[in-house]
Amino acid sequence: MTNTTTSTILPFNQTNPMHSHIPFHSNTMTKPRNLNLTFLLQDIQILEIFLAVLVFIIIHSLRQKKHHGLAVWPVLGMVPSLVTGLRTNLYEWITEVLKRQNGTFRFKGPWFSNLNCIVTSDPRNLEHLLKTKFPLYPKGGYFRNTVRELLGDGIFNADDDTWQKQRKTASIEFHSTKFRQLTTESLFELVHYRLLPVLEASVKKSVAIDLQDILLRLTFDNVCMIAFGVDPGCLQLGLPEIPFAKAFEDATEATVFRFVTPTCLWKAMKFLNLGMERKLNKSIKGVDEFAESVIRTRKKELSLQCEDSKQRLDLLTVFMRLKDENGQAYSDKFLRDICVNFILAGRDTSSVALSWFFWLLEQNPQVEENILAEICKVVSQRKDIEREEFDNSLRFRPEEIKKMDYLHAALSEALRLYPSVPVDHKEVVEDDTFPDGTVLKKGTKVIYAIYAMGRMEGIWGKDCKEFKPERWLRDGRFMSESAYKFTAFNGGPRLCLGKDFAYYQMKYAAASIVYRYHVKVVENHPVEPKLALTMYMKHGLKVNLYQRDAAQIQKHLEDGLK
């Protein structure tokens, strides 16, 4: 009892375990709670500030879309929008941006990158850079360095004297009678002894074929005969895989990857031999091995002065017999570059254009009927019509191909909507101003969007998205358009040297197929462009072929005789 009382009345400052413990415990619990609350309030303020800044950046970037065509983000520039375009149809995406910006806009890449450029589809600007101020707009260092492994110093990658020398020599050959005869004869052989047998085999087996692949094989064999003077044999029954053809296609695909990748990044990948750069390195070796083998063989032929070698008219042999400005023979590397460039030009452009042509044809049956009627009308005018058998053995004559104006118009219309080269590149070497008022500083890269031009109402009218061959005809005759409105074959001093041959090649192959078969695309087959130097169909063109009804052909032939 006494102990309890005494303990209770002890002064507060005396030692008492209970009194000393309780106040201490209360303080340690209060301080952490206050500190946690303070930190929480600070975190909320920082978060609010961060969100406010983020909202401001988003609003500010999106507001610039109206002025610049695309949202401009800090550090990243317009790249986030470009990523969206790459995930869909890039060419359609560019078209929509150009429509909003009246035909020209300035693309802003990330800080410290070299992706800044002017993109245009204005015919006035194209005439300015392709013709009026041509010397100010070369391919430029950026383009040359990006495609150097594949194209080297060939005609499509060269500027100034190197380009002029190659173009002058090639122009002389392209316009010579013997060279024209070589091209028509080689095409005749390939169509009748390779293309048509392969197509007929698919009809007999009732199997679908990838028409784009077959057409690529046709033009590849043809251009190799013209450029190298060799026949790689791509288009044969069984469709064998040719290492050089595969390497060439892989190289073009890997090269395009560089144009949508910051230079520092793809150069780092090249140094480390990673990703697409590894693929490019491997494919370039395949291209070089083939070219070096052909060059060695040709040099041996020429040194022996074989009778056969004297008659050769291919571009490789022509350039081998020439001398450079120092009176020396061209190097093997230079000869390789020349031939690879012409293969790129001759292989992809015609075959890709024909693929889109046949796809459009199936969607427009009346156009197909009009083409068939024209073909029959032209051949029915032969003087020896009574002795001709118009079956699968029919052979078109060069002068007949030239008379097929509606077919020419239909192919031009396909190229307008789906140009083989959808975009092209230049670089300005002096400060300049476009006719539309766009100011360009020295070193500015310029992209002219050929695909977008075909879809501009201001250029082609409100029906610009329609497939209408009639827009190219005047009183039934084909009438060409300005090269700065229809830029599928470039324009100005760099106008495609092989334009006439390309049309002849496309018309001959198209007429030979349309006359014999109806081409029907496999149901639900996806058709979209692939991101490449040329506008391949991403998934090919799977089709079934159906033999033409003899009665239908006979009716058109009789109509042609009236």
Side-chain angles (χ1 to χ4, degrees):
M1 183 76 179
T2 304
N3 288 340
T4 304
T5 306
T6 305
S7 177
T8 304
I9 62 174
L10 279 172
F12 187 76
N13 60 354
Q14 291 186 12
T15 303
N16 185 324
M18 289 182 65
H19 288 173
S20 62
H21 176 71
I22 293 172
F24 176 79
H25 180 71
S26 299
N27 288 338
T28 56
M29 289 295 291
T30 304
K31 288 180 181 179
R33 285 176 180 172
N34 291 337
L35 287 172
N36 288 340
L37 183 61
T38 302
F39 286 132
L40 180 61
L41 291 173
Q42 289 177 348
D43 288 344
I44 292 173
Q45 289 175 344
I46 293 172
L47 181 61
E48 287 177 342
I49 293 171
F50 174 77
L51 290 173
V53 171
L54 182 62
V55 170
F56 173 78
I57 291 173
I58 292 173
I59 293 173
H60 178 70
S61 299
L62 293 176
R63 278 181 175 175
Q64 293 189 69
K65 183 176 181 179
K66 184 176 181 180
H67 179 67
H68 296 287
L70 293 172
V72 183
W73 301 92
V75 183
L76 298 176
M78 295 178 174
V79 165
S81 298
L82 176 62
V83 171
T84 302
L86 289 170
R87 293 175 63 183
T88 55
N89 183 331
L90 181 64
Y91 307 117
E92 284 291 339
W93 177 80
I94 292 174
T95 301
E96 292 306 312
V97 176
L98 286 168
K99 284 181 179 178
R100 293 197 301 266
Q101 296 302 110
N102 296 319
T104 304
F105 82 99
R106 191 182 299 271
F107 183 86
K108 297 184 178 183
W111 292 357
F112 310 112
S113 77
N114 56 1
L115 292 180
N116 299 307
C117 62
I118 298 294
V119 185
T120 187
S121 61
D122 191 323
R124 298 172 299 169
N125 294 345
L126 264 68
E127 183 170 7
H128 181 84
L129 68 92
L130 293 176
K131 177 185 174 184
T132 309
K133 293 290 186 72
F134 173 74
L136 296 187
Y137 293 87
K139 286 287 185 179
Y142 171 76
F143 184 88
R144 289 198 304 273
N145 293 332
T146 303
V147 302
R148 185 171 296 281
E149 279 86 350
L150 176 62
L151 300 182
D153 295 313
I155 192 168
F156 286 103
N157 199 28
D159 285 318
D160 305 324
D161 293 340
T162 304
W163 167 75
Q164 290 180 0
K165 177 75 173 179
Q166 292 181 58
R167 185 174 177 91
K168 182 179 179 181
T169 302
S171 180
I172 293 171
E173 292 307 312
F174 269 58
H175 293 94
S176 70
T177 303
K178 290 183 178 180
F179 190 81
R180 287 176 180 269
Q181 185 177 353
L182 168 69
T183 56
T184 54
E185 289 177 354
S186 63
L187 180 61
F188 177 89
E189 294 288 325
L190 286 169
V191 167
H192 291 286
Y193 299 107
R194 294 197 190 171
L195 174 64
L196 294 178
V198 167
L199 299 182
E200 187 61 26
S202 74
V203 173
K204 289 179 179 178
K205 295 177 182 178
S206 299
V207 295
I209 56 172
D210 182 352
L211 188 57
Q212 177 176 254
D213 176 58
I214 288 173
L215 292 169
L216 279 166
R217 290 169 179 271
L218 169 71
T219 54
F220 191 77
D221 282 354
N222 198 15
V223 75
C224 280
M225 292 176 179
I226 296 168
F228 281 121
V230 297
D231 177 9
C234 288
L235 184 58
Q236 295 179 358
L237 290 172
L239 303 178
E241 182 172 303
I242 307 300
F244 173 51
K246 181 68 168 60
F248 191 86
E249 187 168 329
D250 287 345
T252 59
E253 182 180 349
T255 298
V256 170
F257 178 77
R258 291 181 170 183
F259 284 99
V260 292
T261 307
T263 303
C264 60
L265 181 57
W266 70 253
K267 283 191 174 182
M269 293 174 66
K270 178 184 177 183
F271 180 77
L272 298 171
N273 196 30
L274 298 173
M276 293 297 281
E277 288 300 313
R278 184 176 184 176
K279 180 179 181 179
L280 177 61
N281 185 45
K282 180 181 178 181
S283 58
I284 290 295
K285 286 181 180 177
V287 172
D288 290 347
E289 286 173 4
F290 175 82
E292 289 165 5
S293 173
V294 173
I295 291 170
R296 282 196 305 270
T297 303
R298 188 59 39 77
K299 281 189 171 182
K300 185 176 181 180
E301 290 176 356
L302 293 175
S303 66
L304 296 173
Q305 292 295 305
C306 299
E307 182 180 350
D308 179 59
S309 66
K310 291 180 181 179
Q311 297 174 351
R312 286 187 178 276
L313 295 170
D314 57 271
L315 290 172
L316 175 60
T317 304
V318 169
F319 276 96
M320 275 186 170
R321 288 174 172 153
L322 297 177
K323 305 294 182 184
D324 62 18
E325 60 275 8
N326 299 318
Q328 301 295 317
Y330 287 115
S331 68
D332 289 359
K333 172 64 168 60
F334 188 67
L335 293 171
R336 173 264 185 210
D337 293 346
I338 290 170
C339 293
V340 167
N341 275 251
F342 278 102
I343 288 174
L344 178 67
R347 171 190 183 250
D348 292 0
T349 50
S350 297
S351 55
V352 168
L354 281 169
S355 299
W356 289 106
F357 165 78
F358 278 108
W359 178 68
L360 288 165
L361 215 57
E362 196 215 15
Q363 298 177 64
N364 297 270
Q366 187 56 54
V367 174
E368 180 182 13
E369 192 68 18
N370 293 345
I371 291 172
L372 183 61
E374 179 184 62
I375 293 171
C376 292
K377 181 179 180 181
V378 169
V379 297
S380 68
Q381 295 171 0
R382 293 181 180 182
K383 294 181 180 179
D384 50 356
I385 181 69
E386 298 299 331
R387 298 191 303 274
E388 290 283 351
E389 293 183 3
F390 292 99
D391 54 15
N392 281 352
S393 63
L394 176 67
R395 308 289 196 266
F396 297 115
R397 300 167 183 174
E399 62 273 15
E400 291 174 339
I401 295 295
K402 293 177 182 178
K403 292 179 182 178
M404 297 179 186
D405 287 279
Y406 191 87
L407 176 57
H408 197 118
L411 286 164
S412 298
E413 185 71 346
L415 279 166
R416 180 184 72 82
L417 290 169
Y418 296 96
S420 298
V421 180
V423 297
D424 210 343
H425 178 280
K426 296 288 185 180
E427 187 174 315
V428 61
V429 294
E430 292 181 13
D431 291 355
D432 194 25
T433 303
F434 273 160
D436 69 357
T438 303
V439 177
L440 301 97
K441 297 295 183 181
K442 179 181 178 180
T444 300
K445 293 183 286 293
V446 179
I447 306 294
Y448 50 103
I450 304 170
Y451 178 94
M453 292 181 70
R455 288 159 173 75
M456 293 292 170
E457 290 187 6
I459 301 175
W460 295 99
K462 292 188 179 298
D463 61 354
C464 60
K465 291 186 178 181
E466 296 179 27
F467 180 61
K468 287 181 58 177
E470 289 76 15
R471 75 173 80 243
W472 297 86
L473 300 172
R474 304 291 185 275
D475 297 325
R477 300 299 302 274
F478 176 81
M479 296 292 291
S480 60
E481 290 283 358
S482 163
Y484 314 107
K485 176 180 177 180
F486 175 64
T487 322
F489 293 95
N490 219 316
R494 280 190 180 263
L495 181 69
C496 177
L497 286 171
K499 179 180 177 181
D500 291 341
F501 170 68
Y503 266 119
Y504 182 84
Q505 184 186 53
M506 290 189 293
K507 289 171 73 175
Y508 197 97
S512 298
I513 295 173
V514 171
Y515 181 80
R516 292 167 174 80
Y517 307 106
H518 168 62
V519 179
K520 184 171 180 59
V521 179
V522 172
E523 189 175 356
N524 297 324
H525 175 69
V527 175
E528 58 181 302
K530 180 180 180 180
L531 185 62
L533 288 176
T534 45
M535 191 175 277
Y536 297 106
M537 288 181 169
K538 188 174 183 178
H539 308 285
L541 184 63
K542 292 287 187 180
V543 303
N544 288 299
L545 301 180
Y546 299 92
Q547 201 86 41
R548 284 285 178 201
D549 182 33
Q552 181 186 22
I553 297 294
Q554 188 60 39
K555 178 181 180 300
H556 283 303
L557 287 170
E558 291 173 356
D559 290 342
L561 287 169
K562 294 178 181 178

